[in-house]
Amino acid sequence: MSDQERERRDGLAAAIAIAAVAVLLLAFSQRYLLVELNIRRLAVPFAAALVTVVAASGIGAALIQWLERLTIRNDRGVRHEIPVELALLVGFPVYGSLAFLIANMTTHRAAMLVPCVAGIAALVSQAGRLTLTSLREGARCSRWVGAAFVICALTAMLLAQLPVISLDDAAYHLAIPKQWALEGHAVSFPLMSHSWFPLGAESSDIPLFALLGSSAPLASHMAHALLALATGLLLLGGMRRVAPSLGPALAVAVATTPALLLGAGWSGNDVLLTGVSFALLVALLDESTQARSGTIAAAIAAGLLLKYSFIPLAFTLCAVALVVDPPRRASTARAALFGATLGSVFFLRNLILTWNPIAPFLSGEGGEISGFRRGESLSETALSYLFDGRWVDDTLGVALLALLLMFPAIASSIRDRRIRVCGWALFAVVVLLIAMAPAGRILIPFLTTFAWIVACGLEKATEGRTRVRATVGALLALASFLQLGVAAAYLSSLDPLAIARGAMSDASYVALQRKDAAAVEWCNAQLPSSARALILGMQEIHGFDVRARGGGSFDGPRLARYLDAASPDELGDRLRADGITHVVLFESNIVIGTIQTSTREAQRQLRIDRRTAANLRQFLSSEAVQIANREGVSVYEARAGR
């Protein structure tokens, strides 16, 4: 062991010792009550999260090895090393899809154990192939890089130990698997557009809800925090291999992007998709990748099981690879074909149910993707991506946008034609997307993969120019520091330690962060356990402990079309046919007529015309009875059929 490696090891040991002493002093000062409180609250969810990621890692490793044998016919008997973080990232959506397929029959606890058992068995069979390559790469980085990644990991865990306060979690990421568990099997939710999207990540929470009940959200958060850690390690290892000098600093600059870092502890799929997209790019362009074809196929399958926005990214990368890399064209094409076939689960479901494989798009009910962040001018739109106090967790920050602007100046320094052409293709796609002004999170996978290409160019452009390289490294460190400052300000506003230190309960914390949380708890007390409630004026149905039907963010138009009927009798027949027993109205979020509102308000509102409002009012007065009312929230019970 060299003196430098020994010094780093001693520094890491000292940091761990200091942290341990701090925890012990805190526990002693509180007579160990806080330790007991947090163990009771977090131990079971964390154990469930560990089981989930272990099972997903096993499935991912077995999948890569199997696909490698399918695509490379002379590969029998070859044992490839597979980074454990890569196995976890590609295996997680496949694990979720397996849970989804089983949930179509039942969400019984015994059935939901099948994906876990299968994953652990796969891990045992593949244990000899899994490596910690990226972790070893990270251990060789400078101290400030290690410290920055530790801060990112702590941020993710602080967010993960919070209850459900994220709009996306409450509206669909956790709402859908919870409702499936309550129904006893996976069902369609026509009123929620997100329920038609690929649900590989969300479906991984079905076993958690079936087995843990109310503790499932915490377990889901912790599993996604571990996925974020795996993504960070993959970024660090991949960047350092192609750019030993500037790669680690670039990896930190990407990892501290607010939209990426502040979503690391929630149950969304943006961080996971970023890791999968990065894995696909590296497998296509990095010559040192082992099990290349299997990784390409597994990454394509995983991305298609996660999100529609992966399609243009995968198509761009694979198309460029097929054109500029003739020697490996056949193996790349086979890998892409196998991956697309394996990742078609949710596309086939949509085709069977709606005759539209990418529902709800192309049907007039998909909502608007473009214009989400568009300002009054081009400069205002660009500045909103840089930083916007209204959308802190959707902010791109400094680093990724700077790398995008830097690429044309350094593109000629990239000697590998494949990487250079891929860089220009991605540059064009990203510029086109930015012109559409979508949510920042949609851009993150594109910009992160693009950052790897910029790393190749920067390393070559600064070769032999020590001062220039040092200046670039200092600027990347400054950008990372600024982005961590944004994350710190956001965390300060959330006060995530309020629960950990025992100052607030989970329920009181949620009530403080989500204005309708108290009303939802009140509704739970009014609704019988056998109810199937239609929720109007509230787009976050996760909080309901009974079977519920409603929309997610921006699903007001879908709900309005559902309520549109020729008469109150027709509306009543429709509700009874769908098994609706109760109707819950959040009247403050129901708008009658056309009123101009902000994008943020439109997320939550249900806008209906006067005829629909009259029909709904007549149905509730003649065919339902009000059983409870409180401060603008009314609960109605529908009478039996006529």
Side-chain angles (χ1 to χ4, degrees), residues 180-206:
W180 282 343
L182 289 172
E183 287 282 354
H185 61 96
V187 297
S188 62
F189 296 107
L191 301 180
M192 186 182 295
S193 59
H194 193 92
S195 68
W196 297 107
F197 293 0
L199 297 171
E202 290 84 350
S203 297
S204 65
D205 294 330
I206 306 174

Side-chain angles (χ1 to χ4, degrees), residues 155 261-262 387 392 481-496:
T155 300
L261 178 57
L262 298 178
F387 177 77
V392 177
F481 176 77
L482 292 174
Q483 292 174 167
L484 284 174
V486 172
Y490 183 77
L491 285 176
S492 177
S493 68
L494 291 181
D495 190 13

